[in-house]
Amino acid sequence: GANLFSLSGEMPAYDNIVLTEIDAQQGKIVLGGQEMFPGDVMNDEDEYTFRRIQIRETILSHFEKEIQLFPRGIKVLTLFFIDSVEKYRQYDGEGEQQPGEYAEIFEEEYNKLRSEQLDLFREEYNKYLLDTDPGRVHRGYMPAGYSDYLERDEAEAVHEGYFSIDKKGRAVDPKVKRGSESSDDISAYDLIMKDKERLMSLEEPVRFIFSHSALKEGWDNPNVFQICALKNPESGSETRRRQEVGRGMRLCVDNNGQRMDIESVGELVHSINKLTVVASESYEAFAKGLQNEIAASLKDRPKKVTPELFANKVVREESGKEQLLTKDQARELLYELMIQKVVDRKGDITEIGRELIEKDKLPLPEEFAPYREDITNILKSVYTGEPFRPENERNTVRLQTNQNFARKEFQELWDKISLKTIYEVRFDTEKLVQDSIVKINANLNIRDRVYEIVSGELDTHTREELESNEAIKAESRGTVQVGFNPSTTAVYDIVGEIESRTHLTRRSITRILKGLKREKFLLLKKNPEVFIARCSGFINEVKATLIFSNIVYHKTEQRHDAKTVFSNDNTTLRNAAVLKKHIYDYLATDSKTEAAFVKALEESTEVTVYARLPRSFYITTPVANYSPDWAIVFDKEKVRHIYFVAETKGSDSGLELREIEKLKIHCAGEHFKEISGNEVVFKAVSSFETLMEVVQMK
């Protein structure tokens, strides 16, 4: 139900964008009707350029492969996977079919690259005629008849889409259920599924296929040589890369139906049957992901059962109660499985064991019997290759405060820190405007977006080589630099959006923008949202500097309500650490610094009780609400300061904190001084050792 338009201060890019679903199990949200997975970007103007580069590289690869295979009578096909049908095919008010964004980009790039190929061919061919060396190799060489083949068909004839359509013949997203109103795209189905021979004939113009649901339809073709994923890499299942690559992992055939295998072409079989994937993610992510997926599916994977197979796995009873298997329990479980002859001494699952697993009759001692289903699935993963994933693997635990919350010591601390304050601040507006102009002019830079094109080859298949990350070798093919994107259509209220981030008046913001150098203001064209964010950030830094010594806090009669604060943010991952001194039994930390801090708090004899303060506990500041990290009660017999509120930072150096962070921390200190009369100490610290130095000070 969250409306991003209102939450963003009514930024135009978020108009009518509402969060309608959160699915933790699949790791996705539905935003404005569009499914989004981690890493997805919606309405990113730079994505237009990114997809154009992908399409261009795919067409170029297609031409390179086509030149190589045309003399052998082999039709080269290319497959595009897209995330939305509308990006390829749309309809006007009369129901007439219109090309979508990807179709328009494709035809523009195809015509441009085809012209370049033909011009290069003619130029090099003329040089060839004047060259007395018949053995010369020409970069523009084209086999006989290929230029005619290339010129024969117009751009709009060489590509086709394969989608579901409704009864009116309009392409639809296959994920949208339409009951009896849906049918198959008959013409595309006939060409792509029923008449593969015609599709693979050089006489058929279609060489590029755009598809949304080809994987679900079981589509494949032996002559797919290029695959381009025009969608986010995180979308879909974990076997997405391997499934998509699988569409092109077939030995191709020539115009006569002759398969290009080792018997017909000998050692050339590998150079002919080479698949090129144009990925929509960084090279490292694609290579690593593909290697992992291939390695996981290899037939020669180890089939051993070890204690590590069970250790730290969360298993569940039918009632939903969960248990984290410890290392000792894992060893005990393996021992029991060996006694029952489910597993032999070498760690292999026996024939008897496999039969028991398949029949779901695994013999287990009483301690493990309630978790039979999950333990069975863990054992199955050894020979099926499918990783064990408990339902809602990253499900969260809803926490209840424990006996530490009710302790007198913590309640006394809460009574001291729960008071709310208001602040009063005065500063020179003229100085704010002039200092902001100077800071933005000196520091604002927005780089052109640079895309690096990296290629690599995978020519090995052993698991050891795949897991070593050395199976695919990479090399950079260059970069593409892109400045202002003329396709940008979003309209921005620059002043209004900076106002919502800085809380200055529109008049002051207008004066600042008017004072910028022309070349700095024109950076707005490169990326409006980055311009807004960075200008707002610089203004807030100047504002923070001016406020620092001119802010005063005053106590109010209002308080934070403990029941509200400690019930709003009381969920954590179920594999979080189990604690003894915290007001909850579990706590998930955000960093190594925090993890080390919690460990020290638990082990310290000086600490009585502590709490990780929820985000709903905050202090108001002129730049943003601020939530400290920790509230700690020390043993009054062992330290100087009993009550302490801490913020854990990675460094003790104030120079490493931005002005805004410095101001927040300063405001927090002033707030706690006001409400407790210096009885509660606030400090930003990098470690528990630093904390102890502070609490021992007189």
Side-chain angles (χ1 to χ4, degrees), residues 258-274:
Q258 176 70 36
R259 191 164 298 280
M260 299 292 102
D261 54 20
I262 195 166
E263 294 181 359
S264 60
V265 295
E267 293 182 357
L268 292 175
V269 65
H270 294 298
S271 61
I272 291 174
N273 292 288
K274 183 178 290 185

Side-chain angles (χ1 to χ4, degrees), residues 274-342:
K274 183 178 290 185
L275 174 69
T276 298
V277 179
V278 181
S280 57
E281 56 192 307
S282 71
Y283 166 77
E284 292 79 4
F286 176 81
K288 178 65 176 175
L290 179 60
Q291 288 175 189
N292 288 344
E293 289 173 15
I294 294 175
S297 66
L298 293 179
K299 293 181 179 178
D300 62 347
R301 60 180 170 269
K303 297 181 175 65
K304 302 292 183 183
V305 180
T306 63
E308 288 72 26
L309 182 67
F310 302 107
N312 298 316
K313 291 284 196 312
V314 176
V315 289
R316 178 181 294 183
E317 297 181 14
E318 287 186 7
S319 64
K321 182 181 178 181
E322 298 170 345
Q323 172 70 39
L324 180 69
L325 296 178
T326 65
K327 291 181 180 179
D328 289 340
Q329 287 175 316
R331 285 191 288 267
E332 182 182 345
L333 177 56
L334 178 58
Y335 176 72
E336 293 290 343
L337 292 172
M338 287 181 174
I339 290 177
Q340 298 295 335
K341 298 184 179 180
V342 174

Side-chain angles (χ1 to χ4, degrees), residues 346-386:
K346 295 180 180 179
D348 294 320
I349 296 177
T350 64
E351 290 186 14
I352 296 174
R354 186 156 179 166
E355 183 178 345
L356 291 169
I357 291 169
E358 292 299 327
K359 291 182 178 180
D360 199 22
K361 294 184 177 180
L362 202 62
L364 292 171
E366 184 178 349
E367 177 185 356
F368 300 107
Y371 314 108
R372 183 185 311 280
E373 182 178 352
D374 280 353
I375 292 173
T376 299
N377 288 332
I378 292 173
L379 289 169
K380 279 185 180 179
S381 70
V382 174
Y383 56 82
T384 64
E386 294 296 326

Side-chain angles (χ1 to χ4, degrees), residues 586-636:
Y586 300 94
L587 177 65
T589 53
D590 297 333
S591 65
K592 291 182 178 179
T593 299
E594 284 193 356
F597 193 77
V598 170
K599 186 173 184 293
L601 287 172
E602 287 288 317
E603 295 176 351
S604 171
T605 57
E606 291 90 350
V607 174
T608 302
V609 61
Y610 69 98
R612 172 68 185 266
L613 292 169
R615 294 301 172 197
S616 50
F617 176 84
Y618 60 86
I619 300 159
T620 55
T621 82
V623 287
N625 287 340
Y626 172 67
S627 297
D629 287 335
W630 310 95
I632 309 165
V633 180
F634 289 92
D635 185 334
K636 63 182 180 181

Side-chain angles (χ1 to χ4, degrees), residues 504-520:
L504 299 185
T505 64
R506 293 181 69 92
R507 181 179 179 182
S508 295
I509 294 166
T510 303
R511 288 182 60 197
I512 292 170
L513 294 176
K514 282 184 174 181
L516 298 183
K517 295 177 182 177
R518 176 179 172 80
E519 62 269 24
K520 293 296 182 180

